[in-house]
Amino acid sequence: MDIKQVCVKAGEASIRMAELDGAAKNTALSAIADALLENKNKLVAANNEDMKRSREEKLAEPLLKRLKFDEKKIEDVVEGIRSLMSLEEPVGRTLLSTMLDDGLELYKVTCPIGVIGIIFESRPDALVQISTLCLKSGNSVLLKGGREARETNRALTEIIEGASIAAGLPEGWITLLESRDDVNEMLKMDEYIDLVIPRGSNEFVRYIMENSKIPVMGHADGICHVYVDKDADLTMAEKITVDSKTQYVAVCNATETLLVHEAVAGKFLPALKEEFDRRQVEIHGDEGTRKIIAVKAAHETDWSTEYLDYTISIKLVRDADEAIEHINTYGSGHTDSIVTSNKLTAVRFMNLVDSGNVFWNASTRFSDGFKYGFGAEVGISTSKLHARGPVGLDGLLSYKYMLIGNGHIVDDYANNRKSFKHLGLKKQIGDL
């Protein structure tokens, strides 16, 4: 594969993608949804081949769960596409309009980023979410999935590409990269690629940043926390904790560390342990925890470990401030939740925890683009620039300033023949 030619073609396609209207993009999305359902047997067969090979290669159980792409998963991604179609057209929205002077109007308008390279893990559903979000936002996309999902990703890309081009999209808007060499070559293409989004560990994201001049939107580890405060409803806290940990363990928004106020630990932990035992959750606890329930000893490394499995670490804290300090020290800036009936404590927690998603009395599993109503997501950004939290359509857009005048020149203002008024307008660029 000639990566430079792929990038050139993607760049050319991105210009045509940027001029597509909402109806054209929704037509393509509808065609993709229909094609996925029509080819579900082909997709399941390809996935079975990946699953068989990965089991033979002793792939870890959490990764096997991510890899599975059955009829239910196909129905889920199609539902996500239908949801995406219902969203407002994101490109060409006016974010700001100002009358600089009589007849001189400035508009800040959303536009696609251009060409995006996305490297993601062994989840075939991520390929569908990423590609359709890029389509809706008017971007070309280069995709590199995990080796484990090779056959499934090939089948998905073939179906998506075929259906979308038949519906009027330009050739080259979507390309599947398959080897590490392809990725390494892609990272050199800063002349052609506008953004790289790596989904993976901190080490992986750091490697991408250190080996490319292309801007990177990092999606690092999901070391998420639930903090059970002294003023928590303990029945609610148990329900939220169990859901946060076990509803689906192999995802980045599953809770990995539970922090419990020492004032309620004696009552809360025994009941929680019974519930975790029923679900075969292994608990690693600090010294205070082990005085209350019989569990394995937690070590320093546990506080910064993303288990992605039926394992959780538990630590007792003196107060909310200690919980906040622990999260900001060991967390990955992903998702953290407090369970409490005290509004002041909750607000302080949400203001001071330095994460992209902070919750009050809710499971960390809600941290998701589809659940937020974004249609889907390309990942959870733990960065603070450009996009943070679940990255949906807004995170795949940039903006440009459009200035409309009538023979205006700067010299008139420099020599005080005219002066700026800077008055806000209630106009959209589409009103012109």
Side-chain angles (χ1 to χ4, degrees):
M1 182 180 289
D2 186 330
I3 299 300
K4 182 176 179 180
Q5 286 305 310
V6 166
C7 291
V8 169
K9 196 170 183 179
E12 293 170 350
S14 73
I15 302 301
R16 292 186 56 196
M17 292 288 286
E19 67 179 356
L20 293 173
D21 61 21
K25 288 186 280 190
N26 280 346
T27 296
L29 288 170
S30 181
I32 291 170
D34 292 341
L36 290 173
L37 292 175
E38 291 167 4
N39 289 276
K40 62 182 179 182
N41 291 338
K42 175 182 178 179
L43 290 169
V44 170
N47 187 247
N48 286 340
E49 187 175 337
D50 286 331
M51 292 290 289
K52 179 176 181 295
R53 183 185 65 256
S54 295
R55 287 194 181 98
E56 291 172 351
E57 294 176 354
K58 308 297 183 185
L59 189 69
E61 189 61 33
L63 294 179
L64 285 173
K65 290 178 181 177
R66 289 185 174 211
L67 177 59
K68 190 174 182 60
F69 194 66
D70 54 14
E71 288 194 25
K72 176 63 168 60
K73 285 283 184 70
I74 295 170
E75 291 169 1
D76 287 345
V77 296
V78 168
E79 181 186 354
I81 294 172
R82 305 289 189 203
S83 175
L84 192 58
M85 290 169 59
S86 69
L87 297 181
E88 177 187 357
E89 169 56 31
V91 177
R93 288 188 293 114
T94 300
L95 304 177
L96 172 150
S97 56
T98 304
M99 186 183 81
L100 302 187
D101 194 5
D102 293 333
L104 185 63
E105 297 177 353
L106 178 68
Y107 296 86
K108 182 180 181 181
V109 182
T110 58
C111 63
I113 289 174
V115 180
I116 302 176
I118 303 182
I119 310 163
F120 57 99
E121 72 287 11
S122 55
R123 280 181 51 205
D125 52 329
L127 186 148
V128 182
Q129 294 171 356
I130 291 165
S131 59
T132 53
L133 278 169
C134 286
L135 192 166
K136 181 81 173 184
S137 55
N139 294 289
S140 290
V141 61
L142 309 179
L143 298 157
K144 172 61 174 73
R147 182 182 65 84
E148 302 87 353
R150 181 181 63 213
E151 300 303 325
T152 315
N153 287 342
R154 284 175 179 172
L156 281 169
T157 305
E158 181 183 326
I159 292 166
I160 292 169
E161 182 178 27
S164 61
I165 290 175
L169 265 61
E171 292 188 13
W173 83 270
I174 180 172
T175 302
L176 180 67
L177 309 182
E178 294 198 344
S179 71
R180 289 185 178 180
D181 288 342
D182 289 344
V183 172
N184 288 331
E185 285 301 307
M186 181 185 76
L187 296 179
K188 301 173 185 176
M189 298 291 128
D190 53 288
E191 184 178 348
Y192 306 100
I193 299 175
D194 299 290
L195 178 68
V196 170
I197 304 177
R199 294 168 48 137
S201 67
N202 279 314
E203 290 75 17
F204 173 67
V205 174
R206 194 175 302 115
Y207 171 84
I208 298 297
M209 290 178 171
E210 291 174 353
N211 287 274
S212 183
K213 297 178 181 179
I214 304 168
V216 176
M217 184 192 297
H219 171 198
D221 294 338
I223 302 172
C224 304
H225 300 77
V226 170
Y227 165 54
V228 178
D229 185 51
K230 67 181 178 65
D231 296 317
D233 176 323
L234 297 186
T235 301
M236 177 193 293
E238 180 181 310
K239 183 169 68 172
I240 288 173
T241 302
V242 170
D243 186 83
S244 296
K245 177 69 255 183
T246 69
Q247 197 277 327
Y248 187 14
V249 298
V251 286
C252 59
N253 58 15
T255 288
E256 306 294 17
T257 296
L258 171 67
L259 304 173
V260 182
H261 195 293
E262 58 188 16
V264 297
K267 184 177 182 181
F268 178 67
L269 289 180
L272 179 68
K273 185 176 186 299
E274 288 183 14
E275 201 61 39
F276 273 161
D277 285 347
R278 278 194 285 271
R279 290 169 169 78
Q280 297 183 307
V281 177
E282 180 178 284
I283 300 173
H284 299 183
D286 69 343
E287 183 178 356
T289 299
R290 286 182 285 115
K291 288 180 180 178
I292 300 171
I293 54 176
V295 296
K296 290 187 175 182
H299 302 286
E300 181 73 13
T301 54
D302 282 295
W303 311 132
S304 54
T305 297
E306 184 180 25
Y307 301 110
L308 297 174
D309 206 347
Y310 287 91
T311 306
I312 192 170
S313 55
I314 301 179
K315 180 181 181 180
L316 304 193
V317 294
R318 294 183 303 275
D319 52 29
D321 285 344
E322 186 178 351
I324 292 166
E325 182 180 0
H326 178 98
I327 292 169
N328 288 340
T329 300
Y330 296 100
S332 60
H334 194 296
T335 304
D336 302 290
S337 181
I338 181 173
V339 185
T340 186
S341 60
N342 188 313
K343 179 179 178 180
L344 292 177
T345 303
V347 170
R348 180 175 176 79
F349 179 93
M350 290 192 290
N351 284 337
L352 297 185
V353 167
D354 190 17
S355 296
N357 306 272
V358 284
F359 298 166
W360 177 13
N361 291 344
S363 168
T364 59
R365 286 282 290 116
F366 280 108
S367 175
D368 174 83
F370 179 74
K371 296 181 181 72
Y372 280 12
F374 298 168
E377 67 182 41
V378 297
I380 308 282
S381 173
T382 51
S383 172
K384 297 184 185 181
L385 296 178
H386 177 66
R388 194 179 194 190
V391 180
L393 291 175
D394 284 349
L396 297 179
L397 296 172
S398 185
Y399 56 82
K400 60 180 66 175
Y401 288 98
M402 299 182 178
L403 184 64
I404 300 170
N406 187 20
H408 291 74
I409 60 173
V410 169
D411 193 63
D412 287 338
Y413 299 89
N415 289 288
N416 299 317
R417 290 188 293 272
K418 290 184 178 182
S419 59
F420 292 110
K421 295 182 178 179
H422 293 136
L423 299 176
L425 295 174
K426 294 182 178 179
K427 291 177 64 176
Q428 304 290 309
I429 192 68
D431 295 335
L432 298 176

